[in-house]
Amino acid sequence: AQSVAQPEDQVNVAEGNPLTVKCTYSVSGNPYLFWYVQYPNRGLQFLLKYITGDNLVKGSYGFEAEFNKSQTSFHLKKPSALVSDSALYFCAVREPYGAGSYQLTFGKGTKLSVIP
Amino acid sequence: DADVTQTPRNRITKTGKRIMLECSQTKGHDRMYWYRQDPGLGLQLIYYSFDVKDINKGEISDGYSVSRQAQAKFSLSLESAIPNQTALYFCATSEGLAGATDTQYFGPGTRLTVL
């Protein structure tokens, strides 16, 4: 069965500093990986996804994520954090085929707080 | 995402009441999903539908039912609400691309409180 772990419930970073939100996964075969962001009182917004190809994926709002197969990780990064990046971030995984390919499995979420 | 709308946005109800949450989309997507979000638990899939005639249970379907009235509409019902169904409910849609590259797009959510 596929699973996702976000080891940090909360990440605090100073404005202007680089940020990293961690995600590790477990899946049979090559994974399809996604990051979503949830702002207060809003739905989830799609940020980026990794399907195949370049391990560094660029997404919305200046975010990027690095796929590392040997470490089964897909960490979300941004070179310079903004206060407006403060939100709840979710990593999700899907198997490429089989029974798990219909279902997106989410991590528990990481709350990012960017301090002015 | 304004292309996926949910009604109501907030609802307070009492134990034992029947309640329906509605989702509509203008994205033209075939696939629709219902999730619930609880603090510290992420999102859990309740039901999903690949088209009007194809409805499937997700990981936590007990106590819920769904209806896919049209390609654009997917409603979630709680036949007899109980307090532990208090949660934030999200509808999502996806195009139904071959394989697992399909990206899901979420509505704004419905906050349900069962007293």
Side-chain angles (χ1 to χ4, degrees):
Chain A
Q2 58 201 37
S3 65
V4 173
Q6 293 181 242
E8 300 156 318
D9 292 334
Q10 177 147 357
V11 170
N12 296 320
V13 63
E15 186 176 23
N17 283 2
L19 70 86
T20 299
V21 183
K22 295 179 180 178
C23 171
T24 59
Y25 66 89
S26 175
V27 70
S28 300
N30 295 318
Y32 292 164
L33 295 155
F34 302 79
W35 275 103
Y36 286 83
V37 58
Q38 184 181 23
Y39 298 102
N41 300 313
R42 301 284 298 278
L44 277 71
Q45 295 180 29
F46 169 71
L47 275 179
L48 52 78
K49 67 181 177 183
Y50 171 82
I51 303 300
T52 188
D54 194 345
N55 289 343
L56 185 65
V57 180
K58 294 188 182 297
S60 306
Y61 312 121
F63 284 93
E64 57 190 25
E66 186 170 12
F67 171 64
N68 187 317
K69 188 172 183 178
S70 63
Q71 296 184 5
T72 61
S73 66
F74 189 56
H75 300 331
L76 182 70
K77 300 180 180 183
K78 187 173 183 180
S80 179
L82 301 173
V83 173
S84 58
D85 293 330
S86 298
L88 190 57
Y89 290 81
F90 290 96
C91 181
V93 69
R94 178 190 281 137
E95 292 181 342
Y97 46 78
S101 63
Y102 64 85
Q103 182 168 336
L104 202 56
T105 299
F106 287 85
K108 295 181 179 181
T110 298
K111 183 179 180 181
L112 174 67
S113 293
V114 181
I115 303 163
Chain B
D1 191 322
D3 297 326
V4 184
T5 57
Q6 293 183 233
T7 55
R9 293 294 310 278
N10 289 282
R11 180 71 182 267
I12 299 173
T13 191
K14 294 182 179 180
T15 297
K17 293 291 187 181
R18 183 180 188 276
I19 185 167
M20 179 182 288
L21 309 183
E22 297 185 340
C23 176
S24 295
Q25 52 114 347
T26 58
K27 298 182 79 69
H29 288 172
D30 286 327
R31 298 185 177 185
M32 298 186 74
Y33 311 79
W34 275 104
Y35 291 89
R36 66 175 279 173
Q37 181 184 25
D38 298 277
L41 292 180
L43 277 77
Q44 297 173 280
L45 183 64
I46 306 172
Y47 271 94
Y48 63 101
S49 171
F50 283 177
D51 64 40
V52 175
K53 296 181 180 180
D54 183 4
I55 295 177
N56 303 278
K57 293 182 178 180
E59 52 188 322
I60 56 161
S61 59
D62 288 348
Y64 301 95
S65 62
V66 291
S67 175
R68 185 82 183 265
Q69 300 95 324
Q71 186 206 34
K73 296 185 182 295
F74 192 36
S75 60
L76 176 72
S77 294
L78 287 68
E79 297 301 326
S80 180
I82 56 177
N84 75 2
Q85 291 178 312
T86 293
L88 189 55
Y89 289 84
F90 287 106
C91 174
T93 75
S94 68
E95 190 173 356
L97 296 175
T101 61
D102 211 23
T103 298
Q104 293 184 20
Y105 297 92
F106 287 78
T110 294
R111 186 169 296 281
L112 176 66
T113 302
V114 183
L115 301 176

